[in-house]
Amino acid sequence: MSFETILFELTDDVAVLTLNRPDKLNAFSIDMHKEIRAALKQTVKDKARALVITGAGRAFCAGADLGARDVKAEGEMDLGALLEKYYNPLILSLKDLPMPVIGAVNGVAAGAGANFALACDLVFAARSASFIQAFIKIGLVPDAGGSFHLPRLIGMQRAMALAMTGDKLDAETAEQWGMIYQCVDDDTLMDTAMDCARHLATQPTRSIGLIKRLMTASLGNDLNTQLELERQMQRVAGLGTDYREGVQAFLEKRAPKFTGT
Ligand code: T3D
């Protein structure tokens, strides 16, 4: 599969998707939206067992391509329609992927670019990277799941402040606040993200997919509902071959060989 606005490759069960419009700081164009969605579908088709998302050049992603908006034109612009058609399905399809998604934030992540990163399951960021809820600077509100993920990750006060001020948050503070998993030295970012992806790709992928569903659902569920969901998901996990292999390997005092099924 060849793309114009992203790079996509799959090696040894690990897919790497690189946003590739570096002259625009990898801002989202409509074509890029379409290509990312196609690549995400491809990861499922190819049975990838982990996905890494990063950006080419000095940025991760600067959000919507503002150059594509004709704000001088007469008439209303329905950004809601854009969200409905592109951003919302993008975030949902990332969440729905039955494999771990690792964000490797190599530089600035602004607007929908920041929130696209936060929709990944685990986020590593280079020490020089930053996160900006840039929406307010152009009279908008957080989208791409930002108003959902931010308060849950860092609490209401900090989420509110970032959204209202549009202040830049450096990667170290993002780690301290629990917004991302780890901030690492710039020159180790991709190795760290790839090592993590390669490791996870050897783990029980089906269980990881179920963990994603459980964790995401827990954000809106009460304890009873969540316990019931755990029962359902554990039933599915227990029917998998990786459960049998895990227990067998434990009893035989050897390393398990998980197939992801
Ligand atoms: O409209 C819709 O689709 C609705 C959905 C909205 C979702 C959103 O994401 S809204 C938020 C959109 N994003 C922004 O408001 C961020 C805009 N960019 C910036 O604030 C800054 O560029 C950064 C803080 C990200 C980085 O600053 P800096 O100083 O490192 O770089 P720069 O010089 O501003 O940008 C470098 C180039 O990238 C520059 O192009 P040039 O002058 O070299 O030809 C700049 O125009 C371009 N660029 C940066 N961000 C965008 C962009 N081009 C198009 N769209 C961008 N978002």
Side-chain angles (χ1 to χ4, degrees):
M1 227 177 181
S2 76
F3 297 106
E4 304 270 312
T5 63
I6 63 170
L7 304 172
F8 181 70
E9 56 183 33
L10 175 76
T11 313
D12 297 334
D13 293 335
V14 176
V16 179
L17 189 165
T18 307
L19 308 176
N20 193 28
R21 303 180 73 220
D23 53 325
K24 302 281 181 200
L25 303 188
N26 303 320
F28 285 111
S29 62
I30 297 301
D31 284 346
M32 195 161 94
H33 270 290
K34 289 180 180 166
E35 293 193 347
I36 296 172
R37 292 285 300 288
L40 297 185
K41 279 191 188 143
Q42 194 64 34
T43 58
V44 178
K45 208 170 157 202
D46 290 347
K47 295 190 168 44
R49 293 177 66 186
L51 167 66
V52 175
I53 300 181
T54 192
R58 70 180 179 89
F60 176 75
C61 174
D65 185 342
L66 299 179
R69 302 282 162 269
D70 186 1
V71 284
K72 288 187 184 152
E74 296 282 322
E76 292 174 354
M77 255 187 297
D78 185 354
L79 299 186
L82 274 173
L83 263 54
E84 187 179 356
K85 191 156 183 197
Y86 297 107
Y87 289 91
N88 293 0
L90 171 68
I91 298 305
L92 290 175
S93 51
L94 203 60
K95 287 292 187 194
D96 280 349
L97 284 182
M99 71 201 70
V101 179
I102 295 160
V105 179
N106 53 302
V108 65
N115 295 336
F116 180 52
L118 297 184
C120 295
D121 301 317
L122 292 179
V123 184
F124 294 95
R127 209 165 295 284
S128 66
S130 55
F131 297 83
I132 312 175
Q133 294 295 317
F135 309 90
I136 193 65
K137 294 184 188 284
I138 54 169
L140 293 183
V141 301
D143 60 20
S147 64
F148 179 85
H149 288 120
L150 266 183
R152 287 168 170 82
L153 288 167
I154 62 175
M156 191 58 83
Q157 274 294 300
R158 285 167 168 170
M160 198 73 93
L162 291 183
M164 285 185 174
T165 63
D167 282 351
K168 181 193 281 195
L169 192 74
D170 62 76
E172 280 184 28
T173 311
E175 181 194 298
Q176 285 159 20
W177 286 9
M179 199 170 104
I180 61 168
Y181 179 42
Q182 273 177 25
C183 162
V184 299
D185 289 339
D186 288 22
D187 57 357
T188 64
L189 176 69
M190 278 318 282
D191 283 347
T192 307
M194 290 303 293
D195 285 351
C196 177
R198 286 191 199 102
H199 168 68
L200 290 178
T202 65
Q203 297 305 296
T205 309
R206 203 153 76 128
S207 295
I208 291 179
L210 297 172
I211 288 169
K212 285 179 64 158
R213 286 171 59 187
L214 270 178
M215 295 293 182
T216 304
S218 82
L219 299 172
N221 279 346
D222 61 22
L223 178 60
N224 278 329
T225 313
Q226 197 63 20
L227 286 171
E228 168 55 20
L229 201 59
E230 285 179 2
R231 185 191 68 75
Q232 291 172 20
M233 299 290 119
Q234 198 68 296
R235 182 170 183 281
V236 176
L239 292 171
T241 51
D242 281 342
Y243 167 60
R244 288 171 186 273
E245 167 62 7
V247 174
Q248 191 72 27
F250 174 79
L251 295 175
E252 292 171 5
K253 299 191 187 304
R254 62 170 172 82
K257 282 193 188 134
F258 294 120
T259 56
T261 54

